[in-house]
Amino acid sequence: MAPTSTSQTPFGRVLTAMVTPFTADGGLDLDGAQRLATHLVDSGNDGLVLNGTTGESPTTSDAEKAQLVRAVVEAVGDRAHIVAGVGTNDTHHSVELARQAEAAGAHGLLVVTPYYSKPPQEGLYRHSVTIADATELPVMLYDIPGRSGVALATETLVRLGEHPRIVANKDAKGDLGAASWAIARSGLAWYSGDDILNLPLLSVGAVGVVSVVGHLVAAELRALLDAYQAGDVAKATAIHQGLLPVFSGMFRTQGVILTKAALTLQGHPAGPLRLPLVSATPEEIAQLREDLAAGGVHL
């Protein structure tokens, strides 16, 4: 049973897009995943997104994706919203993954805009609706044109918001003007998908975050949201500014690389990466230590 939701925050407020821990030989580390998920929830996350880009989903098999969802639901599913990434650039395959995630116990689905194919808006609409129609789970869209090659237009988001199970959007578009209009018109619960824009997106109507740095600073992100919600914008701004070195430092190279490096330095399960991603270099790790220390995180 998923934790209680509201229409305003259907998946909670602070979610982390969790890395997928691997063993030293590159296999799926289910025990490590359970331990990491428990740590993240204990640290202040009220939701976890599995099998997303940060979870190295392009390199995990369908079977591994299902095993990961089952393991994490078993570990923390009574305390956190477990959202499974199921979007691909193949609608039929995405439907299969959605049904698999539902059977594995996920509480919701993350559906990224189809990448590489560059479909028109009608194709984006039909893709998302077809996946939403395939299960009884609530859906969070994921608009990230920098990776997908196409953006969800405001009119498309408005149309998708009419579907009873499409309830939220993870926004990594980097366009506050577009977000403002889409939030006002679509009725979708809005989640920041770009850590450095967490506070600006709150100012135009976002309700929460799907974070990468939440692996390290979930409590600070929650404090930022609490302060903003309480009307203490000065405190929220101070927290935001204090975290700027973390927001920037974690993305000096591909985010999964430095997230796994940071978790390993902290003694948490992470393991190696699967190609085409590669481990952080000693120079990158040294810079990461400096960046995180400047943001109050000491490894």
Side-chain angles (χ1 to χ4, degrees):
M1 179 69 69
T4 302
S5 301
T6 71
S7 59
Q8 290 78 27
T9 55
F11 301 105
R13 295 189 303 147
V14 180
L15 295 88
T16 285
M18 194 179 96
V19 302
T20 300
F22 296 131
T23 58
D25 63 0
L28 187 63
D29 182 2
L30 292 177
D31 175 69
Q34 290 186 319
R35 288 186 285 120
L36 178 60
T38 299
H39 164 71
L40 293 176
V41 175
D42 288 345
S43 299
N45 284 285
D46 46 28
L48 299 173
V49 175
L50 308 178
N51 297 325
T53 308
T54 309
E56 296 179 74
S57 61
T59 64
T60 58
S61 69
D62 290 2
E64 288 175 324
K65 289 177 172 65
Q67 291 167 355
L68 181 66
V69 172
R70 288 194 189 95
V72 172
V73 168
E74 178 184 334
V76 297
D78 59 338
R79 299 194 289 139
H81 300 269
I82 306 304
V83 181
V86 299
T88 72
N89 58 355
D90 174 355
T91 305
H92 177 74
H93 186 204
S94 300
V95 165
E96 291 179 342
L97 289 175
R99 290 172 175 160
Q100 172 182 276
E102 183 178 44
H107 304 141
L109 306 175
L110 181 74
V111 177
V112 70
T113 306
Y115 40 84
Y116 190 74
S117 303
K118 291 191 173 181
Q121 292 298 311
E122 183 62 23
L124 300 182
Y125 173 79
R126 294 187 191 184
H127 173 83
S128 301
V129 166
T130 300
I131 298 168
D133 284 341
T135 80
E136 296 300 315
L137 296 178
V139 169
M140 178 188 290
L141 304 169
Y142 184 13
D143 189 11
I144 182 165
R147 290 186 184 273
S148 68
V150 292
L152 286 168
T154 297
E155 293 299 331
T156 304
L157 287 162
V158 171
R159 290 178 69 196
L160 290 170
E162 296 171 356
H163 192 287
R165 283 187 294 282
I166 298 177
V167 299
N169 182 50
K170 177 185 175 184
D171 182 356
K173 187 181 288 180
D175 186 336
L176 293 173
S180 299
W181 276 109
I183 291 168
R185 296 184 55 212
S186 71
L188 294 168
W190 216 257
Y191 289 80
S192 171
D194 189 349
D195 278 307
I196 205 163
L197 294 182
N198 288 344
L199 180 58
L201 279 166
L202 289 176
S203 75
V204 297
V207 299
V209 302
V210 178
S211 175
V212 173
V213 302
H215 284 92
L216 306 176
V217 292
E220 290 83 351
L221 294 178
R222 180 172 294 281
L224 188 157
L225 266 67
D226 286 344
Y228 190 87
Q229 188 174 41
D232 193 344
V233 178
K235 180 178 179 180
T237 302
I239 296 170
H240 168 75
Q241 292 177 347
L243 290 174
L244 286 174
V246 180
F247 295 154
S248 297
M250 288 286 285
F251 296 97
R252 287 185 183 273
T253 185
Q254 209 273 358
V256 186
I257 293 172
L258 293 181
T259 300
K260 282 198 163 182
L263 289 171
T264 298
L265 290 169
Q266 288 187 327
H268 299 299
L273 296 98
R274 290 181 177 176
L275 287 170
L277 299 182
V278 294
S279 297
T281 65
E283 293 77 15
E284 288 169 338
I285 291 174
Q287 182 63 59
L288 177 66
R289 287 181 180 274
E290 290 185 20
D291 292 330
L292 294 182
V297 180
H298 297 280
L299 301 176

